[in-house]
Amino acid sequence: MSIESLFLSPVYLPMLGAALILVTKHFFTDRQRRVVEYLSALIAFVLPLIAFTFLIQPVLAHHQVHMILGTWETALGIHYHFDGLSFLLISLNLLISIPVWLYSRKTGPHQETFTVIFLIQSASIAATSLTADLFNLFVCLEVMGVTSYVLVASSEKDEALLSSFTYLIFSATAMVFFLIGTFGLYRISGSLAYDTIALAKNSLSGSDLLVARLSLVLIVVSVLLRTAVIPLSGWLVGAHSNAPHAVSALLSGVLIKIPLFALVRLLLLVTGTELLGSILAWAGGISTLVGIIMALREHHAKRLLAYSSVSQIGYVVAAYGLALASGLETEKGALLLALALLYSFSHALAKATLFMTVGRATDAIGTKNLHRARGALSELRAQGERFPFTGIAYLIAFLSISALPPAIGFWGKNTLVYLTKGHGATHLLSITSVLTIVAYLKLSRIFLPSKTTGVQKTVSSCSVLTNLSLIILTSLLLVGGIWYIELQTFVVQVLAPLGATTATLTSYSAAQDLLKTGITLSFALLIFFIGSKTRFEKRFEVRKGPVVSFPNLFFGFALLIAVMAWQLLIRGGVL
Amino acid sequence: MKRTLFIIKLIFILLILALAIFPVILSSHSWPVVSRDYLYENALSDTGAVNTVSSIYLGYRAMDTLGETLVLLVSITGTMGILINLGRENEEEEAVSFSLAPEKRATNAQRTHLLEVVASKLGPVVLLFGFYVMLYGHISPGGGFQGGVIVASAIVFLALGTETQTKLTNTNVLGRIESLSFLVLIIAATSGVFFESGFFGNPIKSGSSLSANFIILLNIIIGLKVGTSIAVMCIAMMGGRRGH
């Protein structure tokens, strides 16, 4: 097997699996279809994972492959680029998708076509990570988007349909602007491949430069919509909180991060991204704070988690922006990009676990209201969970997302905050880490013992596969925490060909941060107890669910375009 | 107050978006010629397709086409899911105005003899035209997507026009054709990986007198896929058999 067929396997194998399921659905019985579903999942997830273990060696040796799909010898074809970045992104997707799919077997949407769409989404994620062609990026984002609308709508609740529709209209409109941006860049460069665009932009001046900058702004903002930074995050809360638990886990864990990192390839070629990076860092910083405040004001378990995703993606975007601001060729920029990726990995694991465990717990209790939901552990035991997998998995994920040792999040967040020092947005990150703990303490109350004993008996949601998926995620969280330094070295080394040196974070010491974490934790506990014992909490909370209106969504979209365009055009900087 | 705010927002949105896209659209930069010249000289010999458009979307950039096929597949699957749910909820409610023959009721005032006669006579002709567009996509304007949509409309005509259900309007049969053609499409796309011509490379390039063979194959598969899936969706929307 050539290296091309190995790294393309996460693209074509899931599609093959999806086709197999569709065929068996129409030709064979239900029972046979179910067998084929497992077989297809094996083909789609496990085989690429095995293929990727063969790729670790080439990636560590900084081996890059630039290829054109098919055998065309022209720039007209579609360029794919395999390097450390795509390796890491696809591995992230595979590692999260496998437990999510296992979890969905028992709890998730039971439609016959769920696995088909799930597999196609996985293929589109892999293609997005690999592509080095602007129009192909558009197509991949479209496939990714359309699968997520359908997955959200598969919840069969009316609210889910509405959220899915909101997301569909908002992101489909944004994709039109992406397409206009693509048109602009093609017009001035005559090519859709990133490297040819980068070559062409060197000989630009006057109005052509303006066109190039505006096109880039349109593309970046449309992609940021998928990442859901404030002010573009209005669609996320409804979509992620109303989707089935497994889908929420995947959307919050993987889907909001891939487009952001796929953009790196394009931005890498654009010299002088300081200003753009700085704007992104601020957007990220503001997202962290606003997201967590909105989460604190929520009394609906899954909406709290969804707002927290906005807050957590803010960390990633802030680090990513600062990496661009310092330039990826510098040591600091390279490290920041690696940390942004690592943090998204740690958040993906933690948030997927949280959505799954909280989903199971609230299903067992029968309510998602944080004031009424209590005694999740005893309810789960009543449903046949002998060993408290759900509780333990929740605890580990809670530790990770609140940046407490020993889980991966502790290292991820602290190294990230350590490196972003010196930028104004860092202070926002520090405040957020206190509030994050408060928000998750609030959520944890569903596991407190209940005063009234529930009488309702629902069907058992326990199964070997669900427990297995929780075990996989939990052990990844712990393993990542224990071998974090090694993991970080690996990621930095793998990402090195993106233009940076093989820098390591030597000046950072975790012992110092343990003290800081202690202070943060005590602050958080203080706020939490003041909040929960007094009336303050009730008064602070919003009564109604979020009202999402299209004028507000598009206002956010236009606002970000205006800010970016003004900064880049008037103050100059990019390209 | 609320209304004023709404209008201000709306004006802001339109103004910013217009300011952002007009310079891009109205750019006076000369049109790029590299790709055009390349296609003019090499498209025919590279892919064997006289129609340059099909040499782009089924040749050089076939992956994009596969992506668009996936978009169609997923959106139709999603639509069918929602339709089935709605059908489950509104089982007792009044049937939609255009109903299929087995469900024909007295209330279907819009389903007249005129419609039936015209639709049933048009159906086969449109079907033939659909296959023509599909099969000659490499020579003349058309291709899998366009031909497929025409085939779908022909099937809808047949479904509206005939009293008894035929094989062609049976959603189970259509679903089988759809899933098989999707499988063949994926196999055609991936087979290049194992024949040393790369992902979406032409595995049957050599050893054939018909130079555009791969494009014709893809056109047929995509046409069948598009035609049957859209037909299934339309029949479901008309309240036809929910065999899905």
Side-chain angles (χ1 to χ4, degrees), chain A residues 415-459:
Chain A
T415 46
L416 200 148
V417 172
Y418 175 80
L419 258 188
T420 54
K421 270 203 183 99
H423 192 273
T426 319
H427 303 296
L428 298 176
L429 300 188
S430 304
I431 302 169
T432 309
S433 40
V434 178
L435 294 179
T436 306
I437 304 182
V438 182
Y440 280 97
L441 281 175
K442 184 176 170 182
L443 181 65
S444 306
R445 287 189 298 189
I446 59 171
F447 287 98
L448 288 180
S450 136
K451 282 168 192 145
T452 54
T453 46
V455 280
Q456 50 173 345
K457 272 273 176 274
T458 39
V459 277

Side-chain angles (χ1 to χ4, degrees), chain A residues 1-2 4-5 8 11-13 15-16 18-20 22-28 67-78 80 111-113 116-117 120 123 127 133-140 142-143 146-147 150 153-154 156 158 161 177 180-181 183-192 204 207-208 210-211 214-215 218 549-552 554-555 557-559 561-562 565, chain B residues 6 8-10 12-14 16-36 38-39 46-47 55-56 58-68 70-79 81-82 85-86 88-89 171-184 186-187 189-190 193-194 196-202 205 225 243-244:
Chain A
M1 293 281 271
S2 62
E4 281 89 359
S5 40
L8 282 174
V11 181
Y12 61 77
L13 287 178
M15 291 197 281
L16 196 64
L20 281 178
L22 272 182
V23 169
T24 43
K25 182 187 144 203
H26 286 286
F27 283 91
F28 300 104
M67 64 174 298
I68 297 173
L69 286 186
T71 40
W72 314 110
E73 285 149 9
T74 157
L76 264 177
I78 296 172
Y80 268 42
Q111 278 102 335
E112 294 164 343
T113 46
V116 176
I117 294 171
I120 290 176
D133 181 286
L134 211 47
F135 189 76
N136 195 245
L137 180 65
F138 167 80
V139 173
C140 295
E142 282 284 271
V143 179
V146 82
T147 47
V150 173
S154 67
E156 299 184 9
D158 290 348
L161 283 182
F177 290 93
I180 293 172
F183 164 78
L185 286 182
Y186 180 77
R187 178 94 191 258
I188 54 166
S189 68
S191 172
L192 293 165
L204 288 181
S207 67
D208 293 343
L210 176 83
V211 172
L214 272 179
S215 308
L218 288 175
S549 71
F550 283 121
N552 286 345
F554 287 111
F555 182 76
F557 186 68
L559 189 71
I561 287 184
Chain B
F6 174 73
I8 291 173
K9 263 184 207 163
L10 209 64
F12 177 80
I13 295 168
L14 291 178
I16 291 296
L17 294 184
L19 279 179
I21 63 172
F22 275 149
V24 178
I25 294 174
L26 300 176
S27 159
S28 59
H29 194 273
S30 56
W31 289 96
V33 292
V34 184
S35 305
R36 186 196 64 189
Y38 180 88
L39 284 171
D46 274 358
T47 62
S55 80
I56 298 171
L58 292 174
Y60 302 109
R61 305 191 64 89
M63 180 67 184
D64 290 341
T65 310
L66 180 67
E68 296 299 345
L70 288 178
V71 168
L72 187 76
L73 170 82
V74 174
S75 43
I76 285 181
T77 315
T79 314
I82 294 171
N85 281 336
L86 287 181
R88 214 175 278 147
E89 280 167 20
T171 45
N172 283 338
V173 176
L174 291 176
R176 285 181 175 194
I177 300 174
E178 180 199 349
S179 59
L180 269 185
S181 49
F182 181 59
L183 182 67
V184 176
I186 299 294
I187 290 175
T190 48
V193 175
F194 306 102
E196 297 301 309
S197 59
F199 187 53
F200 251 120
N202 181 355
K205 203 169 190 170
K225 165 91 194 56
H244 240 66

